[in-house]
Amino acid sequence: MRTLNLGILAHVDAGKTSLTERLLYNAGAITAIGSVDEGSTQTDSLALERARGITIKAAVASFPVGRTTVNLIDTPGHPDFIAEVERALSVLDGAVLVVSAVEGVQPQTRILMRALRRLGLPALIFVNKIDRGGAEPQRVLRDIAAKLTPAVVPMGTVHGAGTRDAGFRRYSAGDAEFAAALADLLADHDDRFLAAYLADEAAASYPRLRAGLAGQTRAGRVHPVFFGSAITGAGTGALAAGLTRLLPAAGGDAAGPVSARVFKVERGPAGEKIAYVRMFSGALRVRDRLPPGHGALPPSGRNGGPPPGREGERKITAISVFERGPAVPREQVRAGQIGKLWGLRDIQIGDTLGEPPPGRARHRFAPPALETVVAPRHPAGRGALHAALTQLAEQDPLISLRRDDARTELLLSLYGEVQKEVIQATLAAEYGVEATFSASTTICIERPAGSGAAVEIIDTPPNPFLATVGLRIDPAPAESGVRFRLEVELGSMPFAFFKAVEETVAETLRQGVHGWQVTDCVVSMTHSGYWPRQSHAHARFDKSMSSTAGDFRNLTPLVLMDALKLAGTTVYEPVHRFHLEIPADTFASVLPVLARLRAVPGAPVMQGSLCLLDGDIPAAQVRELEEQLPALTRGEGVLEATFGHYQAVRGDIPDRPRTDHNPLNREEYLLRVARRVAAR
Ligand SMILES: Nc1nc2c(ncn2[C@@H]2O[C@H](COP(=O)(O)OP(=O)(O)OP(=O)(O)O)[C@@H](O)[C@H]2O)c(=O)[nH]1
Ligand SMILES: [Mg+2]
């Protein structure tokens, strides 16, 4: 059997979960078709998903199409849950991008298409809801070509659009127009085809065209468009056939070295951790020990193995594999497959097991732009709240938890208000913890404005620690994150000391000069040095004469913050792209409000009695616009806003209250370190 790991992606409510259900039903993987509106689908299985009728977590279900097992990953469309999509993208062989035949291309559709194209992931487009009143397949096709990519070709025609009887007729060899459109598209994207076609028009025989289309689709260069309805089933058979003919199967050698990626972590009924992995190469068996992953430095521990004493936490105790419908218990999971692993207590979302998957770029969407203070409704619930949030953050690393020790506050980063409500409801339902959330505030970032370097030498005042650390920080391209590299020999110092520096660099950069996360930079270690353990001749190990990892952990923040202060940083705030539809006669009253909220609208487009406006607005102001809109537009205004970019803050720089132990002030920092040491 071949395997195809397929993602279903779309703007919220386009019909991904309904389409998943229909494909499972068509293939015989389920005998009754569930409904999102009744809360009975396979992939919206969480109580909260069923109650709200939206997908929150990516979910996997499988079905067979001919000789191919399709592992379908149904993803959430709501922008608050984009992190789920990001992780799904890293394990896919191909995707179906769903577009509603009524709403057309929506903001999230464009973001997803950009991600697919950047990753070179092959994708079919499915125009759904052709049965719904207002469906206009032809307009939506033009919309797709204009807003997503011109490299599309419709695979058939729709009849009866907007009615329950709407249907899809697939083009075949006899459709001259289709053949001509295919020849044009391939000539644009395939030089070999173009040369053959110019030499001899007969090169464009129908079988050649179909083969060319499959090749270019698999390469992610062109996107065939199907039409149909998840609810009536129209066109879904043609789509399923297209999946196996036009998308590539998972490759990978089951006998090769292990290479796998964790894209989802959940807790089982007994609280046990379950990791979902996509295998790219090799096989994992029950009782196998987890192979080490790969970071900037080789993994810690002897021979790259796990740290001593934690062996038991790295052993796979059970495996189940997706083959048809839900996962079934198996002895092993092999290259190409998706499986669930039990027994790995340390595993985290995004972990790579074994070798990094070859040729797989990763796509990162924007990080969360909002932050909120979470407090227990009853003071006694503080411990339970912290434990519950820590567990939630482990299932979703982008829900990062910050603890303000000074004010004993818990801060949670968020994508939006829906996510906040979902977390609140999850805390109550799954952990029995009642929590309140403060109004969300915006999270800015800091980027180094230039380069800066600092060094502290061992046994040389004012360095109070037994370590030499030199660091240089340089700006890096936007969205590249933080990279740590060595400009000293890896062999010049025990490995544990380098690891301590690398980890402390990452921790320290959580709060830059203005208190915000520092990102998009490269930190190079330029100097290193230590005092070795005292030899036996000097009798006992003497801490005052031998360097420890603690010396490196304590010194690194001092050096790094000195370097960062020299480099200087610029604070950036998140800015959203907005799309606004308002009654044309309310334009004059909406415009001044936009200006007051620091929004920058583009030229208005009049569409009948509607006025369409696209533009940028600081993320901090989106909520206020949402609140004002109904009164300004008689309740008819529609606003969509999704993260666009970061913009340097002009004027007053918002400093964030510091919550950690960054040595902005050297004396204070050293006092804190001394107190910590004394407390031990
Ligand atoms: N008429 C019609 N309604 C549809 C069709 N597909 C989905 N719907 C309805 O559209 C709504 C959203 O469907 P879902 O399948 O939950 O959409 P989704 O893309 O999974 O939504 P999220 O996961 O929340 O992003 C539901 O009320 C469905 O019944 C379709 O083909 N025709
Ligand atoms: Mg859904």
Side-chain angles (χ1 to χ4, degrees):
M1 285 291 267
R2 298 178 349 139
T3 306
L4 165 65
N5 296 302
L6 179 77
I8 301 219
L9 313 177
H11 190 92
V12 67
D13 265 358
K16 297 172 291 294
T17 303
S18 306
L19 180 62
T20 301
E21 198 71 12
R22 171 61 64 177
L23 291 171
L24 290 173
Y25 177 76
N26 284 355
I30 52 175
T31 51
I33 191 154
S35 143
V36 173
D37 309 290
E38 284 158 23
S40 54
T41 62
Q42 297 293 307
T43 47
D44 279 358
S45 57
L46 302 176
L48 211 54
E49 292 180 320
R50 298 190 160 192
R52 286 181 162 252
I54 62 165
T55 303
I56 294 166
K57 293 265 171 197
V60 190
S62 332
F63 59 92
V65 181
R67 288 180 34 75
T68 304
T69 297
V70 179
N71 289 329
L72 193 153
I73 306 185
D74 178 19
T75 62
H78 197 288
D80 281 13
F81 307 110
I82 191 82
E84 288 288 308
V85 183
E86 174 175 301
R87 292 186 286 264
L89 283 175
S90 72
V91 301
L92 300 180
D93 302 308
V96 173
L97 184 66
V98 183
V99 179
S100 161
V102 182
E103 281 84 10
V105 172
Q106 294 167 284
Q108 193 75 353
T109 328
R110 298 168 79 159
I111 291 176
L112 294 168
M113 187 65 172
R114 262 204 306 272
L116 288 169
R117 290 183 70 87
R118 190 179 293 173
L119 292 172
L121 264 183
L124 310 183
I125 297 174
F126 184 69
V127 177
N128 188 32
K129 304 196 184 183
I130 59 167
D131 63 304
R132 234 184 74 191
E136 287 184 73
Q138 278 310 312
R139 174 181 61 79
V140 171
L141 185 62
R142 285 193 301 274
D143 212 24
I144 290 171
K147 293 184 184 160
L148 295 182
T149 164
V152 290
V153 60
M155 299 300 286
T157 55
V158 175
H159 50 86
T163 70
R164 193 74 194 162
D165 299 324
F168 176 70
R169 188 186 71 83
R170 232 188 291 189
Y171 287 132
S172 59
D175 290 293
E177 252 183 67
F178 177 52
L182 264 187
D184 271 358
L185 185 70
L186 293 178
D188 278 352
H189 290 90
D190 184 345
D191 291 342
R192 286 213 341 247
F193 174 83
L194 179 63
Y197 184 51
L198 290 178
D200 176 11
E201 280 203 17
S205 69
Y206 192 69
R208 283 282 292 271
L209 288 173
R210 292 294 308 218
L213 176 65
Q216 293 299 308
T217 305
R218 286 189 192 125
R221 288 195 206 106
V222 305
H223 305 279
V225 183
F226 293 83
F227 297 82
S229 162
I231 297 298
T232 67
T236 54
L239 175 69
L243 296 179
T244 54
R245 286 200 199 127
L246 297 167
L247 293 177
D253 177 7
V258 167
S259 170
R261 185 163 284 159
V262 180
F263 65 96
K264 172 173 170 143
V265 167
E266 67 181 15
R267 294 268 169 182
E272 75 278 20
K273 210 170 186 178
I274 307 168
Y276 286 64
V277 291
R278 151 86 200 258
M279 300 295 298
F280 290 94
S281 160
L284 287 172
R285 291 170 196 81
V286 177
R287 289 179 294 282
D288 272 359
R289 288 194 193 292
L290 198 61
H294 287 251
L297 291 171
S300 53
R302 207 162 13 98
N303 304 327
R310 287 169 61 187
E311 296 269 324
E313 296 171 17
R314 299 177 64 101
K315 195 160 142 184
I316 300 169
T317 55
I319 293 178
S320 64
V321 176
F322 285 92
E323 289 174 356
R324 172 185 287 235
V328 285
R330 287 283 177 264
E331 267 301 302
Q332 61 166 335
V333 54
R334 292 188 318 272
Q337 293 181 314
I338 288 180
K340 300 205 245 179
L341 308 180
W342 277 260
L344 305 170
R345 263 198 281 161
D346 282 348
I347 208 157
Q348 284 183 349
I349 279 192
D351 277 0
T352 297
L353 311 183
E355 307 283 325
R360 286 237 148 206
R362 289 182 98 155
H363 183 79
R364 298 207 186 282
F365 292 103
L370 299 172
E371 187 169 63
T372 174
V373 176
V374 193
R377 207 176 285 281
H378 311 290
R382 182 166 297 279
L385 175 65
H386 188 253
L389 285 174
T390 307
Q391 231 182 65
L392 284 182
E394 150 201 294
Q395 291 168 33
D396 188 347
L398 285 175
I399 304 188
S400 65
L401 194 60
R402 244 165 34 97
R403 193 180 176 143
D404 177 340
D405 285 340
R407 287 178 294 168
T408 62
E409 273 178 351
L410 285 171
L411 294 113
L412 202 62
S413 52
L414 290 172
Y415 278 97
E417 300 306 314
V418 173
Q419 189 189 16
K420 193 192 232 179
E421 289 166 26
V422 163
I423 293 173
Q424 192 166 27
T426 307
L427 285 173
E430 285 178 26
Y431 299 90
V433 178
E434 297 280 332
T436 58
F437 291 69
S438 70
S440 309
T441 50
T442 312
I443 304 177
C444 298
I445 58 166
E446 283 179 48
R447 290 179 178 142
S451 297
V455 58
E456 301 243 7
I457 308 285
I458 196 164
D459 200 27
T460 310
N463 180 1
F465 302 110
L466 283 188
T468 294
V469 172
L471 297 169
R472 193 182 65 249
I473 186 159
D474 297 299
E479 287 169 49
S480 62
V482 175
R483 205 158 66 83
F484 178 75
R485 51 187 288 277
L486 297 182
E487 279 183 10
V488 292
E489 287 296 319
L490 186 58
S492 63
M493 214 168 58
F495 181 76
F497 295 169
F498 282 118
K499 201 77 195 159
V501 174
E502 184 188 21
E503 284 170 8
T504 313
V505 162
E507 264 163 47
T508 307
L509 289 181
R510 280 202 214 134
Q511 296 206 301
V513 179
H514 295 280
W516 304 100
Q517 168 90 48
V518 181
T519 184
D520 302 333
C521 58
V522 179
V523 177
S524 309
M525 185 158 187
T526 53
H527 299 75
S528 66
Y530 72 108
W531 281 356
R533 279 173 83 98
Q534 291 305 306
S535 67
H536 290 301
H538 295 268
R540 254 161 33 87
F541 168 61
D542 183 347
K543 231 168 129 187
S544 67
M545 296 166 71
S546 326
S547 303
T548 65
D551 288 308
F552 286 88
R553 283 188 200 284
N554 287 330
L555 179 58
T556 297
L558 278 177
V559 179
L560 186 58
M561 288 309 278
D562 279 347
L564 191 63
K565 276 186 257 176
L566 285 173
T569 67
T570 310
V571 176
Y572 291 78
E573 67 174 332
V575 173
H576 284 196
R577 283 293 297 163
F578 73 83
H579 174 76
L580 197 55
E581 296 186 11
I582 53 173
D585 62 316
T586 63
F587 177 65
S589 43
V590 171
L591 207 56
V593 175
L594 289 177
R596 185 172 59 73
L597 296 176
R598 295 192 288 136
V600 183
V605 176
M606 296 300 163
Q607 208 176 71
S609 63
L610 275 184
C611 170
L612 314 185
L613 266 178
D614 287 282
D616 290 338
I617 180 168
Q621 313 292 347
V622 172
R623 199 163 162 75
E624 188 171 344
L625 182 56
E626 267 165 4
E627 282 167 4
Q628 302 233 353
L629 203 57
L632 290 168
T633 62
R634 301 184 296 271
E636 290 173 41
V638 179
L639 170 72
E640 281 170 345
T642 42
F643 176 84
H645 61 280
Y646 281 102
Q647 164 182 292
V649 174
R650 275 177 288 253
D652 283 349
I653 306 255
D655 274 0
R656 177 199 229 181
R658 309 194 77 79
T659 60
D660 68 357
H661 310 290
N662 274 7
L664 249 199
N665 175 320
R666 189 179 178 105
E667 284 64 44
E668 247 178 49
Y669 173 77
L670 291 178
L671 258 175
R672 258 201 312 263
V673 171
R675 245 184 267 133
R676 217 169 40 221
V677 171
R680 267 203 222 112

